[in-house]
Every structure is written in C-alpha cells, then in structure tokens.
Amino acid sequence: MITVVGMGASPGAAPAGEVAAGAELVAAGAELVAAGAELVVGGAELVVGGRRHLDAVRLPEGARTVVLGALAPALDTVAEYVAEERPVTVLASGDPGFFGIVRALAERFGSERLDVRPGVSSVAAAFARVGLPWDDAVVASAHGRDLRTAVHLCRAHPKVAVLTGPGAGPSELGAALAPDGRVFFVASALGSAEERVERVTPAEAAARDWGGAVSVVLCLDEARTLGPVRSVAGPRPGPAGWALDEAEFTHRDSMITKFEVRALALARLGPRPGDLVWDVGAGSGSVAVECARLGAAVTAVEKAPDGVERVRANAAAHGVDVRVVHGAAPAVLSGLDEDPDAVFVGGGGRELPGIVAACARRARRVVVVAVAALDRVPAAREALLGAGLECDGVLLQSARLAPLPGDVTRLAATNPVFLLWGARPHSRTEGVAP
C-alpha cells in the first residue's frame, strides 16, 4: 500500500485578521497534525513529501526520503518500492484528494493501492477563517494551469476559491478582476505560525508583491455571497430552462433576439463555466444574460447608451453578472484584452462584415451570427471562412400559436432570420475546473 497523509491547515487555527492572531493555537494544531502523521510514517521504508512536511515529522530510522519537486522522478522512485512490495508514505498538504497528489498516484498505481488519510483542505480552512459556508462555492486551481478559467469563474459566480501558484497568484488574479466589484480574502501559509488572512480589493491585490507563495484566494461578490439555504451542496445548478420568452427581458420595439433563434444560438455557442463569451451588438442583452445564466463570464458590447442601461437592467433582473462595454464595433473590440471562447453577433448593419471578421480572428472556439437581411449573408459567411473557420448555417422560420376570437387559434409567422456559425477546426479551449 501507498499511504497518503494530508498535513497542513489544522482545524483549531485562528480567526481571520490583518495578520492572523493566536499563533500559539495555530502552532499547537500543527503539532497535532504532525503527531498524527508520525503514527502513519512509522513503518514506511520510503517517505515522499515537500521539504516542510518532511521536516515536520520524526522519520523512521533508515527510511529513504524524496523531496517533492518534479513529480515524475518521485513517482518512478515510488514505483521501485511498490514493485518490491515495500511500504511507502506520501506526505501532502491538506486533503491530497482535492486538487492534490492522489490523482497522479491513482493514475500511476491504481486507487486500490492507496490508503488516503485526508487532512483539512486549504479551501475549507480559508472559508473557516472568514466565517463563511462553502457548500455553494466554486473551486478552481490556477496552480500550474492557465489563469483564464479561474478568472472567468470569478466573474460569473459570487463565491469562488482559487488555488494559486507562481505566476498565477493574487496579483495576477486581481489585475484581471479589478473592474468587477469583487473582494478578495487572501489566505497564505494556512496552518502555520506565519498564517495570514487579508481582505483586499482586486486592485490592491494587483499592486502587491505576494512573494510567489502558494495561497488560497476567496473571490466574493459580497452582495450575493449569503443567499438562501439550499438542500443541495455545490455551486448553483444551471437554469431549469433557457431560450426564455421575450417578455422576460426589457427591450425596445421588439428589438430582441427571438427565443427560437436564441435556442439554436445558445446550442452553437455552448457557454459553460470557465468560458468567456462576447455578445456584440447586444441590444437588450438577452443572449448575454442567457450565457451568464449557464455559467459563462460574459462581456456585452452595445453602442446605444439606452441599450447599455437595458443590458445592465436585464442582467440585474436575472441575478447574473454581465460586463457591459459602451462602444461601436468593430473599433471598440480592440480594447477588449482577452480573446473570447465564443462570440454572438447580432445586428451590425453595413459594418457587419468587419465586425464578424474581427470577432472571428479572436474567437477561440466559435462565432455565431444572426442576420435578418438576406443581402448581408454572403459577406458574413465570407468573413467567417476568411478567418479559417468552418462555416454552416440555417434559415429559421417559425410560426407561433396565436388566439383568435371565437376560441380558435391561428399561426402567426415571425420574421425569418439567418443564423450562421463558424467553428474553429481545432478549438483552443481550456478545461473547466469547478
């Protein structure tokens, strides 16, 4: 067997503060954790762990130690001992099955060989320090991963814990989220005498040098952090329905993407947690709101001042965050720093080909275009093809049931709309990490 012992944050640590108080209590808790680990380490012939974990326990006489750095060589050494059926203990931080080494060990040696003794995870400890429940939190790891997925989750959800690492720490996360009205709790060195839990704005986090230490950042929308009690743990489930009726949105003179068109557009956009979606020419923001309801981070671009306010009002009415940019496409798109996973383009007029081309150059996965005018379809299609996307589309014609006097029903035709989509042959996507 390979025994995996979780160490680190102890359950009896101190409350949050500018600098965590009660260092003696923290140290006492750490000693208890180390003492428990020593009971397991006692019979091991090979002990693997980080330097601080190895230094925290009394190692058995004659046992070989491997300091974790590069994972592959350490696993190779473990394999030698496993092949000879010699006992191995691996020391890890917190709960090693939670974004930890258990995954790599199970993939290499099989879960049946593992005896896992979890400790308190750093995420559980961080939420405990600030006195918040976390059964409705989303958790993302930016440790050794692209930060963008964590950023988009923080934009889309009110309560997110981000496991950080060198090059993807509180400062980088803060720089990306400075405009979004969140607050950070940065928890460092949890479970040690040097523990710190600090409340900062994203802008303040971006301006600090955090020293490259691994930490947990709780990113909170404080206005929405404490919601009603729910019977199911985990992040809020997706909406019960989508392609909402037009009456669910404030709009001007029926200038809104009809629900039949929206249904197929959403199917082609495929918004999901961790994605960034642009809604260009947002109008009422119906597509933007629906993508946000499905868990994506959304930026809506709208040139009309009253349209900007309408998008914000519709987002607020549906309880989602949508970042709204006031400006005319395609020029305003150059000011958007990050490339989107998916883009919806509605309207556009004579500027439509340029808008589609600008979006298609930057989209990582797909661009969906809704066009009412037949004359503009060829140019939009050429713009998608010209950016190297694989293009397809349909003409959507629908007729809705409508009542007539005398308790009878007729069919009322809606205006036909062309829906085009261009998909990148090999999408540049990142895995979702909630």
Side-chain angles (χ1 to χ4, degrees):
M1 296 295 291
I2 303 171
T3 304
V4 188
V5 183
M7 302 178 63
S10 61
E18 184 63 22
V19 177
E24 291 182 3
L25 182 59
V26 174
E31 288 178 7
L32 287 173
V33 171
E38 286 177 8
L39 294 176
V40 181
V41 171
E45 295 185 29
L46 172 68
V47 183
V48 180
R51 182 75 272 165
R52 64 190 178 95
H53 295 141
L54 295 172
D55 289 343
V57 300
R58 186 181 297 107
L59 297 170
E61 188 174 345
R64 180 181 176 184
T65 60
V66 173
V67 179
L68 270 177
L71 186 58
L75 294 180
D76 290 341
T77 303
V78 172
E80 296 174 12
Y81 279 72
V82 169
E84 298 174 3
E85 298 186 355
R86 300 166 68 186
V88 176
T89 296
V90 178
L91 305 178
S93 296
D95 182 350
F98 189 69
F99 290 102
I101 198 169
V102 166
R103 182 181 303 278
L105 291 170
E107 289 175 351
R108 178 75 178 265
F109 304 107
S111 57
E112 69 279 0
R113 288 186 178 273
L114 303 183
D115 176 13
V116 181
R117 314 288 180 89
V120 177
S121 75
S122 57
V123 173
F127 276 108
R129 302 303 194 262
V130 299
L132 284 175
W134 68 288
D135 51 16
D136 57 348
V138 174
V139 181
S141 176
H143 187 68
R145 296 170 171 86
D146 192 335
L147 187 64
R148 71 184 307 274
T149 298
V151 169
H152 300 156
L153 289 169
C154 288
R155 283 185 53 188
H157 297 274
K159 186 188 292 184
V160 182
V162 181
L163 304 170
T164 70
S171 57
E172 290 83 2
L173 192 64
L177 293 169
D180 290 285
R182 297 296 197 261
V183 64
F184 285 180
F185 285 92
V186 181
S188 306
L190 285 166
S192 75
E194 290 75 38
E195 177 179 307
R196 296 172 66 92
V197 182
E198 301 178 67
R199 186 186 192 277
V200 295
T201 66
E204 289 168 341
R208 286 267 299 273
D209 180 2
W210 297 89
V214 175
S215 59
V216 180
V217 176
L218 306 184
C219 178
L220 308 178
D221 178 351
E222 290 190 304
R224 295 194 294 153
T225 293
L226 289 176
V229 176
R230 297 184 293 114
S231 59
V232 179
R236 294 186 181 278
W242 50 93
L244 301 175
D245 191 273
E246 292 90 77
E248 297 287 332
F249 301 94
T250 300
H251 53 89
R252 177 177 60 85
D253 300 329
S254 296
M255 298 294 289
I256 183 173
T257 304
K258 301 301 187 289
F259 70 75
E260 301 95 328
V261 178
R262 220 179 312 126
L264 183 56
L266 288 167
R268 291 293 176 261
L269 289 168
R272 59 186 178 174
D275 278 355
L276 173 63
V277 179
W278 288 355
D279 181 1
V280 180
S284 66
S286 62
V287 173
V289 168
E290 297 241 39
C291 288
R293 291 177 75 237
L294 290 165
V298 183
T299 296
V301 176
E302 173 56 38
K303 66 180 180 180
D306 60 333
V308 167
E309 295 308 313
R310 206 171 288 118
V311 175
R312 288 176 176 153
N314 282 323
H318 288 275
V320 295
D321 277 347
V322 173
R323 182 184 290 177
V324 186
V325 175
H326 180 206
V332 73
L333 301 179
S334 62
L336 303 182
D337 293 335
E338 188 173 358
D339 291 343
D341 296 280
V343 183
F344 178 77
V345 180
R350 293 185 178 88
E351 297 290 334
L352 182 64
I355 294 171
V356 174
C359 292
R361 285 193 295 269
R362 297 187 60 180
R364 297 163 64 93
R365 189 173 71 240
V366 65
V367 177
V368 178
V369 187
V371 186
L374 171 64
D375 299 13
R376 297 197 174 105
V377 172
R381 184 170 181 273
E382 285 302 314
L384 293 172
L385 292 170
L389 305 186
E390 296 175 348
C391 187
D392 205 344
V394 295
L395 171 62
L396 294 177
Q397 296 177 288
S398 64
R400 301 180 180 181
L401 298 179
L404 281 174
D407 199 25
V408 294
T409 304
R410 70 181 180 90
L411 289 174
T414 62
N415 291 330
V417 174
F418 293 92
L419 199 71
L420 306 175
W421 56 89
R424 200 164 297 285
H426 301 289
S427 300
R428 294 171 287 147
T429 59
E430 296 293 331
V432 181

